Amino acid sequence: MNPTSPDPAPDFQRRLAAVEFRLRDLSRRRLEGRTEPDPDTGERSDAGQIWTHLADFVPYWISQAERVMAADSPDPVTFGRARASADHVAAIERDRHQGPNALWHDVKEDLNDLGAFLGEISDRAWQTKGVHPTQGVMSISQLVDELVIGHLERHATQLEGLRAR
């Protein structure tokens, strides 16, 4: 992915389709155990926590990207949340026992919304910048790459690791 490309949407759409296929397959499997420790925090997650997180973060980051693009300011606006924010933790704990089939329905709808959103971003908007509390200044292209598509890919890989146990 070239984050400076004027229209990264086709690459993002391709990656989105690939990760959607992986997640659909994983939603049909019984996954047990816990993930390898997170390199940054040492935390380990179970499948329920990952699925709930997937159902939470896609609409959240779409809304944050929309907020950054809508800002009428010469300076980058602040966006995002820290990993340990109360609303983030509460959303994961609230729904973690629903099971992947129930959560897959929500995730699938969110991925459809994400695909539509990616197709609506103008060439100019991809370069709009915001400031994340821990990642610093990011363009919309970087936000989508790192906080949405890349994030989906990393969690699919985590779930695949659980399947192998």
Side-chain angles (χ1 to χ4, degrees), residues 1-5 7-24 57-58 104 111-112 114-115 118 126 140-157 160:
M1 168 29 235
N2 179 359
T4 61
S5 170
D7 185 8
D11 183 55
F12 287 143
Q13 294 282 6
R14 179 192 55 75
R15 289 172 58 198
L16 177 60
V19 78
E20 180 179 337
F21 179 82
R22 292 168 65 196
L23 291 170
R24 181 177 48 244
F57 82 73
V58 173
W104 169 245
L111 298 180
N112 289 339
L114 176 58
L118 294 173
W126 284 112
I140 292 299
S141 182
Q142 290 169 311
L143 183 158
V144 170
D145 183 34
E146 297 172 30
L147 302 178
V148 187
I149 304 291
H151 200 163
L152 287 163
E153 293 165 336
R154 288 187 297 279
H155 285 305
T157 299
E160 289 163 346

Side-chain angles (χ1 to χ4, degrees), residues 29-115:
R29 301 181 186 275
R30 181 172 173 85
L31 304 174
E32 296 185 7
R34 298 180 76 68
T35 62
E36 294 298 320
D38 181 280
D40 296 327
T41 67
E43 294 175 357
R44 299 177 72 190
S45 302
D46 62 36
Q49 290 169 308
I50 295 170
W51 279 108
T52 303
H53 179 53
L54 290 168
D56 172 64
F57 82 73
V58 173
Y60 176 79
W61 287 118
I62 291 171
S63 72
Q64 292 298 291
E66 290 172 335
R67 185 174 169 276
V68 170
M69 290 186 299
D72 187 18
S73 170
D75 299 317
V77 298
T78 301
F79 73 94
R81 62 185 175 194
R83 181 188 304 235
S85 69
D87 62 326
H88 173 68
V89 172
I92 291 172
E93 289 307 310
R94 180 186 64 237
D95 297 330
R96 71 185 278 199
H97 299 291
Q98 283 192 35
N101 290 329
L103 292 167
W104 169 245
H105 175 76
D106 293 339
V107 171
K108 171 69 172 136
E109 287 183 13
D110 294 340
L111 298 180
N112 289 339
D113 292 344
L114 176 58

Side-chain angles (χ1 to χ4, degrees), residues 115-132:
F117 172 71
L118 294 173
E120 296 169 358
I121 301 174
S122 70
D123 289 350
R124 182 172 177 261
W126 284 112
Q127 302 310 315
T128 305
K129 291 185 167 67
V131 180
H132 185 274

